[in-house]
Amino acid sequence: MLWLMVGLFAILVALGTPLAFAIGITGLFALVQSDGPSLIRLVPMRLFSGIDMFSLMAMPFFILAGDIMNRIKITDRLVDLANAVVGGVRGALAHVNVLVSVFFAGLTGAAVADTAAIGRMMIPAMASQGYNRAFAAAVTASSSVIGPIIPPSIIMVIYGSLMQVSIAGLFAAGLIPGILMALSLMGYIAFRARRDDLPVANLRGDVPPLSVALRRAIIPLMMPVIILGGILGGVFTPTEAAAVAVLYALLVGLFLYRNLGLRDLVTMLYDMVRASGSVFIILAAASILGWVLARQGVPQQLADFLLGISDDPLIFLFIVTLALLIIGMFMEMTAILIILGPILHPIAVSLGIDPLHFGIVMVVNLNIALATPPLGACLFVASSVGKVRFEDVAWRILPFILVEIAVLAAIVYVPAISLTLPRLLGLG
Amino acid sequence: QSVTIVLAHEEPADATTSAAHMSAMVFKDIIETRSNGDMVVDIQAASTMGNQRERMELTQADIIQVNIAAIGGLAQFYPAINAIDLPFAFPDEIVADHVFDGPFGDMLAENIYATTDLRLLAVTAGDFYVFTNSTREVRSPADMDGLRVRTMSVPSHLAMMNALGAAATPVPWDELYSALETGVVDAQHNPIPIVAVGNLQEVQRYATVTNHLYGADWWVTSDLFLNNLTAEQMRIFTNAVEAARTAGRGAKMGLRATQFGTAFLEENGIQVYAPTPEELSQFRDLAAPAVMSVLADEIGDDAVALAEAMLDAVATAEREIYGAD
Amino acid sequence: MKFIARLLHRIARLVETITAAPLIAAGAVMVGVVLAATFSRYVLNDPIAWSEELARYLMIWIGLVGASVTLRHGEHIRITAISMLLPKPVRVVTDLLVAVAIGWFLWVMTLEGWAAAERGSRQMSPALGVSMMWPLLAVPVAGALMLVQHVIQTLLMLLGAQNQPEHESPMGGGPV
Ligand code: NA
Ligand code: NA
């Protein structure tokens, strides 16, 4: 039965069935096939209960907040700041691309959205300064994975809700790995800059002085401070923080920049509905499949299999990392989290791996998979907004992916990278 | 013919820390050994069959044969059962067990059957709630003033905490640890094993042994299942249920004495206070009337009648067990 | 043929508008309720008891019914790279098979969802104290609206007049 399900799912996905339906149809098929009383009534029950979690609300909220930020052009000031920080070094715009991802990371929480927003802006700019377009797209796609690693992060919210791990703790644990990722990518870019003689020129010719750029960027930079400060200070929960982020962006747009109207609000709420629709239906459908798999004892079998290989936490992490890199190239990451997370997380904890550490490993891992050829979603978006052949981006991104895998290995091997900050803040 | 019984509960599949799982194991052992393999029990722990509401529905549909429910799950189908959460109704678990095993329990079972089509098999593994917080030692209601107390989104729980002077705050379970940790809320109430499941002892400093609520495991099944049993299978089933009821109660007491009693809280650096009878009556005088009026206003006369019948049954049980008042 | 395609597009857009308007309002209420609850608890020290449940049920409506809006725009996340390798006539057949399978799922979602909502009318939500039918109704309503959009999109596909997705959704929607 299990192999029948795997086969059906693989065929459906290969034939281009939207993932939510491929998952749902496979689950429904398994329910209809099972003997005993009819289980078909589980379909609506699971569709409902699978998303009946308050903390999932952070997802539409962060999507909305990010959308408002873009619309009121708060994000332009972050690009200026990145320019000012990097100055006129060789390969400046490539460095700016990475730095903007770091600054954006404090506002948004999804890598594909970062790729689209930053790529639209940076890839043409880099190309006009003489960068290879595919290289520019590769920098964009690879650095966009920083977005969900540095808090706030939609995928961490989902992880924390599903696995009952402190979301505030995950946010704190992601900060240093995210910065490490950015520094490693910039280190590699510096190496390439010298070897390939990348352009020195900046975005708009003249760089604003750092102090000016910093002052102008204070308002967007305050947002992550308010979000994290409010969570750690006990003012609001991580879910409520997402709503506060919306409020902050709204207040800035309505009263400070005054470039936001009621019409824009309706449009952005509409975009939020559309985006929620594409993610929640996957979570809902995956909970049908999750029920079926649990009923068949698959989690236990997989756990026994993994523990049968070795009960060394490092070897376990190595196997999981490798498997997720491969699966993550083919499957949507929320779906992976909801199906595999509840299986892998308890094993990790039973092996003595810190829940926050394991959470960060999974989040970093799945995000790298988003930019990994042949099927990473960020690659497709980067190639489409950068107007460059997909195969070229896929080829150019390989060294960047290797750098990111090296960072992942460091995060796996050195738990302190993830755990120092949450421990300092008393978050586990 | 052979029978498979799916028994669902929400606690971890670990009989050394969960009384529900221990009682489920006893049930399984008796069914399978006595029936000589004719009947099989498939224990589905850790909510794998679904959440409280889903498991009730699946039991009604005979997809789950035996479900271990909590009051919160039952209340969505039979709201009057909120009457059981009348604070300080039960002086100790011996009296509580006596009440649920006696005529009051029978009446309750009939009411549940009339509204939900589910048969109440047993009320077992009961445990009292303690109150914990991170701010100050709470000896009497005066000390609760202004504390933000997390409760479930249940009107009677909210009313009780508000009546005691606290600010009742609904927080979902999956956000509770971090809400206590960062100070979004100061306090919560739960039985000690639940405190341990959520690691809440790490983020709380004071505990008050108020024993204000009595949370138990409610075993339910359906006629769809029972009607298919042969007389011999029925006999084995009844035997196993009775044994599981006894085992659940014993397991809970054993866990309290060895792992999840007040000693567990103290070992984790929590200062534990047991209120005097006078202080307890201060709590009761504020909390009980508040919950009574929620029952009357928001649920209805059947809930009030149930609460009054329960108080009578408690008084009777106390007389029977401990002699004249 | 062109006329039929235009008509179908128009129907799809009308259904979407009727669907999206209340969802947009629900989204605004959801944000407002969570903010009000935060304010009331932290500033007034007077927590609201029902806010969490109301916001959660609105989210479920937005998430499930919103999927029908996503469907009309062809933004559901999927992988088309492999099926593109198939020869055109084969792809028409496989696309139809996939469409039938999706239709089956949505049909079950609608019918069983309705039955579940009916059962829910005898259940009560813990905090708001309303019939569980109202939150549970999100499933059959979403199923029916998705079915409508799915049938229209399938007909448009057969006519070769399907919409191209307009932009990527923030979580990576659209064919990749
Ligand atoms: Na982020
Ligand atoms: Na970037």
Side-chain angles (χ1 to χ4, degrees), chain A residues 94 96-102 114 118-119 122 139-144:
Chain A
V96 168
N97 193 326
V98 178
L99 260 190
V100 168
S101 285
V102 173
D114 280 19
I118 298 173
M122 292 300 299
V139 173
T140 306
S142 61
S143 61
S144 70

Side-chain angles (χ1 to χ4, degrees), chain C residues 85-161:
Chain C
L85 302 175
L86 295 172
K88 187 90 203 270
V90 179
R91 209 163 74 219
V92 171
V93 176
T94 58
D95 280 355
L96 260 182
L97 284 176
V98 165
V100 169
I102 294 174
W104 176 52
F105 177 78
L106 293 175
W107 179 249
V108 170
M109 181 177 171
T110 310
L111 279 193
E112 288 296 322
W114 175 250
E118 270 191 332
R119 290 197 300 273
S121 66
R122 290 188 295 138
Q123 302 162 23
M124 200 182 77
S125 84
L128 293 166
V130 299
S131 156
M132 278 305 289
M133 189 176 88
W134 301 114
L136 288 168
L137 218 43
V139 178
V141 169
L145 287 170
M146 277 197 273
L147 198 55
V148 169
Q149 298 287 11
H150 175 63
V151 168
I152 294 175
Q153 296 305 316
T154 307
L155 291 174
L156 285 170
M157 177 191 80
L158 291 175
L159 293 171

Side-chain angles (χ1 to χ4, degrees), chain A residues 14 16-19 40-41 44 47-48 51-54 57 112-113 120 235 240 270 274-275 277-279 281 330, chain C residues 16 38 41 52 56 59 63 67 69-70 73 75-79 83 98 112-113 119 135 168-172:
Chain A
T17 315
L19 216 59
I40 205 164
R41 70 167 62 203
L47 285 171
F48 183 88
I51 54 174
D52 189 11
M53 263 179 291
F54 181 68
M57 214 175 298
V112 181
R120 224 170 255 137
V235 182
E240 292 167 341
Y270 170 67
R274 275 163 75 165
S278 71
V279 180
I281 192 74
F330 299 96
Chain C
E16 187 205 336
T38 311
R41 183 192 62 237
E52 185 263 348
R56 184 156 40 84
M59 171 186 80
V69 178
T70 319
H73 290 276
E75 285 173 348
H76 280 294
I77 300 163
R78 59 163 137 187
I79 296 167
S83 60
V98 165
E112 288 296 322
R119 290 197 300 273
E168 319 76 28
S169 90
M171 284 296 284

Side-chain angles (χ1 to χ4, degrees), chain B residues 212-234:
Chain B
H212 53 287
L213 294 178
Y214 186 72
D217 289 349
W218 298 69
W219 287 48
V220 291
T221 188
S222 72
D223 279 350
L224 290 177
F225 165 67
L226 292 178
N227 292 344
N228 274 332
L229 296 181
T230 65
E232 177 56 21
Q233 287 169 337
M234 191 68 193

